[in-house]
Amino acid sequence: MQQWHGLQWTFEDLSTSMNFKDLTISIVIGHLNTTLYKKPQNLYIYLPPHSSHPKGIKTGLIYGQVRCIHRLCSNKDDSDTCIKRLFQCLVTRGHKPERLIPIFTRAENDMTHSLKHKGTHSNKTTPQQQQTKRALFFHLKYHPEDPP
């Protein structure tokens, strides 16, 4: 069963944590936690500061990445760590910290304001929200050629 219709399957032992695409998904005390996963060989090649792209590209990159980080990380400490890593990667790529800090600050403030209105990263949940968070549904459509 290692090869099936051109796909190669690998099987691993049971674990409470796994990497799936750009996420690390963990089960901690009965709850799912997510954080960003980056492959060890990721080179973090972002646009250099002397690129001839429009000025708003750098701002858009930072806003988009900060938003993605906040949405994918279930723990605030993890999202802070990922945002610091993004900042450091851009500095390593040649961007000046004094030009990045205002953009990161605005992006963080905008995300914080947006998240407050949506309730993400909030410890105050209603009993109905807590019950909904405990439910996990995974549905796959039946296909007769799927492996067992």
Side-chain angles (χ1 to χ4, degrees):
M1 188 69 186
Q2 295 298 327
Q3 189 115 9
W4 186 75
H5 291 278
L7 296 175
Q8 186 170 1
W9 298 88
T10 54
F11 298 92
E12 298 177 4
D13 293 333
L14 291 177
S15 173
T16 59
S17 178
M18 68 171 284
N19 297 322
F20 178 73
K21 295 190 178 189
D22 60 348
L23 282 179
T24 297
I25 305 168
S26 306
I27 300 173
V28 180
I29 314 173
H31 297 299
L32 286 179
N33 285 346
T34 57
T35 189
L36 289 183
Y37 169 72
K38 300 287 186 182
K39 290 183 179 179
Q41 63 267 37
N42 187 337
L43 300 176
Y44 299 98
I45 300 178
Y46 295 107
L47 290 174
H50 57 278
S51 170
S52 59
H53 285 77
K55 188 177 181 180
I57 294 292
K58 177 174 50 176
T59 302
L61 166 80
I62 293 169
Y63 268 75
Q65 289 293 307
V66 167
R67 181 178 182 162
C68 179
I69 289 167
H70 277 287
R71 287 181 176 236
L72 295 178
C73 293
S74 58
N75 182 310
K76 177 123 175 57
D77 291 337
D78 287 341
S79 62
D80 291 345
T81 300
C82 291
I83 290 170
K84 287 176 187 173
R85 183 179 349 148
L86 171 63
F87 179 84
Q88 191 56 50
C89 288
L90 290 171
V91 169
T92 301
R93 191 74 174 137
H95 293 273
K96 296 192 183 314
E98 59 272 10
R99 291 188 179 170
L100 293 176
I101 290 172
I103 301 170
F104 272 88
T105 303
R106 283 194 315 269
E108 270 294 309
N109 289 340
D110 288 354
M111 271 314 294
T112 302
H113 178 73
S114 172
L115 292 174
K116 282 182 183 177
H117 293 300
K118 290 187 178 183
T120 308
H121 287 314
S122 173
N123 293 333
K124 298 176 184 177
T125 56
T126 66
Q128 184 179 8
Q129 288 172 324
Q130 289 174 347
Q131 184 64 30
T132 303
K133 285 183 179 182
R134 295 181 72 201
L136 175 66
F137 300 97
F138 184 69
H139 176 76
L140 291 176
K141 187 174 180 180
Y142 171 75
H143 191 281
E145 294 182 14
D146 278 345

